[in-house]
Amino acid sequence: MPRSSAVRISHFLPSLLLLLAGLAAAYIKDLNVFFTSLFNVLPTLVLLLGGAYCAVYRRQRELFLMVTVYIAYFLLDTQTDYYRDNGKVREDAAVVFHLCCLLLPLLFGVFAAWQERTHLFQDMVARFAVLLAVGSVALGLEQSYPQALLMWLSEIRWPALHGAWMSLIQLSYPVFIASFLLLSWQYWRNPRPLHAAQLVGLVGLFWALPKTFILPFTLNIMCSQVMLMIAAAVAHEAYQMAFRDELTGLPGRRALNERMQRLGRNYVLAMSDVDHFKKFNDTHGHDVGDQVLRLVASKLSKIGGGGRAYRYGGEEFALVFAGKTLEECMPHLEVIRESIATYNIQLRNQDSRPQDDQQGRQKRAGSGATSVSVTVSIGVAERQEQRTPEKVLKSADEALYSAKGAGRNCVVAFGQTRRGAVRMDAAAG
């Protein structure tokens, strides 16, 4: 998955918007009856719908995250309801609240970092066993030794680190920090919408817990938003799997088909193909071939003139220019063709791969690396009267074959047979 800034922003954006919406709703003072009733049922509704959605996609990690958040919500909501109805807290309010502040970030961090690596049923049993064990121990201690447990939880163990601003027990802060660092490391290693949602959701819980008895419906709103973040991340990843090519990070064939249905009246379509790719693969291996495809995709993704690149299949890529003419697009296609042709790829022996970046730079600068290059051929077609996008794409594909016949490494428009300005070997070295 690409790790560009734009992609990272897209990972966090839905969760951040939900977090901001939750913060705004929590600070609304005068709620009418409709919103009061809605916030009372919202967490349960989100759990049922979001949990069912995760179950359908067999996303057990996300399902148990939702269940963990909901259990904490249920326990604390029982306390806040009693407080609103009677004007005082229950006798066990303090110990229940402190247990939730300690165990919620702990279980949230554990389940968020616990990836599905085994059989689905075994994984579900293991997660349920952890949840049951932690819950049973906590319940047993709370029922048998409430005062001793409360004293242990509320004890200030590190006076030098304790601040007057701390609204939670001191033990909960290192647990929140440890979970946040763990989830940050997980996202850094594997940037995904789900991992971003987990980070933002943990921040939302950290904000909401101290406000539980202060701002009405804060718990209902924020727990609902956190569960929505997780469900939205599952939907986001499902969309990416369906519409985005995993190898190159470009939108895939299905995304192209959708885009072609809403192109408007004027547009240009181009088909691009890596020259002699099968021969290159046979010579250098599929790992290097994948590296070449990622390189070509990276170059094509930077096409100017308002173009958008798509992975069509194999070594073929499609380029879409909405609202453009052929004359406007040709210079940009020539620029991108030349950019790929003049780029040298450094190949290294995988057995002697360097252990760190500094050694890698030294090896790439030395004479031990093999330099290769690839070229692409591009066929391009413009929409004309009464031509469907499918026919225009077929014309671009025919122009691509003309570019191959014209010597490769050139751009040929549909109906033309001229050669490109320069012909280069498909691979050197």
Side-chain angles (χ1 to χ4, degrees), residues 299-308 320-321 324 328-329 332-333 335-336:
K299 295 290 185 180
L300 292 176
S301 68
K302 298 178 177 64
I303 185 75
R308 182 77 185 272
V320 176
F321 296 86
K324 301 294 181 180
E328 293 173 325
C329 298
H332 299 287
L333 293 171
V335 167
I336 210 69

Side-chain angles (χ1 to χ4, degrees), residues 41-62:
V41 301
L42 188 60
T44 303
L45 183 63
V46 172
L47 176 68
L48 292 176
L49 297 179
Y53 183 69
C54 292
V56 168
Y57 281 95
R58 299 184 179 182
R59 304 289 288 266
Q60 298 193 112
R61 172 167 54 164
E62 294 79 357

Side-chain angles (χ1 to χ4, degrees), residues 29 46 99 104 115 145 171 246 306 343 353 357:
K29 293 183 178 180
V46 172
L99 276 173
L104 177 58
Q115 300 184 24
Y145 311 101
L171 274 177
E246 184 177 4
Y343 188 89
R353 189 174 180 86
D357 291 339

Side-chain angles (χ1 to χ4, degrees), residues 76-88:
L76 295 178
D77 186 59
T78 303
Q79 301 290 339
T80 56
D81 282 347
Y82 185 89
Y83 176 73
R84 281 195 295 266
D85 294 341
N86 299 278
K88 61 179 181 179

Side-chain angles (χ1 to χ4, degrees), residues 267-326:
Y267 56 86
V268 172
L269 301 179
M271 288 293 293
S272 174
D273 181 274
V274 181
D275 296 327
H276 300 299
F277 185 72
K278 185 179 185 303
K279 180 180 177 181
F280 187 93
N281 246 356
D282 294 339
T283 303
H284 299 287
H286 290 284
D287 289 341
V288 178
D290 289 346
Q291 181 183 349
V292 167
L293 290 178
R294 283 192 290 266
L295 164 69
V296 172
S298 175
K299 295 290 185 180
L300 292 176
S301 68
K302 298 178 177 64
I303 185 75
R308 182 77 185 272
Y310 296 81
R311 174 87 182 276
Y312 191 76
E315 67 271 26
E316 286 188 308
F317 299 87
L319 294 161
V320 176
F321 296 86
K324 301 294 181 180
T325 64
L326 184 64

Side-chain angles (χ1 to χ4, degrees), residues 68-233:
T68 300
V69 173
Y70 186 83
I71 290 174
Y73 154 75
F74 177 79
L75 293 173
L76 295 178
D77 186 59
T78 303
Q79 301 290 339
T80 56
D81 282 347
Y82 185 89
Y83 176 73
R84 281 195 295 266
D85 294 341
N86 299 278
K88 61 179 181 179
V89 297
R90 285 174 40 170
E91 293 182 359
D92 62 345
V95 67
V96 170
F97 178 73
H98 294 333
L99 276 173
C100 288
C101 292
L102 179 64
L103 296 181
L104 177 58
L106 176 64
L107 290 174
F108 192 91
V110 169
F111 285 138
W114 185 348
Q115 300 184 24
E116 297 97 334
R117 296 185 180 276
T118 60
H119 189 274
L120 285 176
F121 179 75
Q122 295 174 353
D123 185 82
M124 181 184 67
V125 171
R127 292 174 192 271
F128 182 76
V130 169
L131 188 62
L132 182 62
V134 173
S136 299
V137 170
L139 179 62
L141 291 174
E142 191 272 333
Q143 292 292 321
S144 302
Y145 311 101
Q147 291 302 319
L149 180 60
L150 179 60
M151 291 180 61
W152 184 84
L153 289 170
S154 57
E155 180 184 353
I156 299 177
R157 291 167 173 77
W158 309 284
L161 300 178
H162 191 75
W165 56 271
M166 292 184 175
S167 304
L168 306 177
I169 56 172
Q170 195 178 59
L171 274 177
S172 67
Y173 290 96
V175 177
F176 265 109
I177 293 172
S179 296
F180 184 82
L181 292 176
L182 176 63
L183 299 186
S184 298
W185 177 74
Q186 179 180 243
Y187 180 81
W188 180 80
R189 286 189 62 212
N190 185 16
R192 290 174 52 186
L194 172 64
H195 296 162
Q198 292 169 351
L199 271 171
V200 178
L202 187 65
V203 172
L205 294 174
F206 179 75
W207 173 87
L209 284 174
K211 308 291 192 299
T212 300
F213 292 95
I214 300 174
L215 294 176
F217 300 108
T218 296
L219 194 68
N220 309 56
I221 295 169
M222 193 52 63
C223 287
S224 301
Q225 297 300 83
V226 172
M227 289 188 287
L228 280 174
M229 292 175 197
I230 297 169

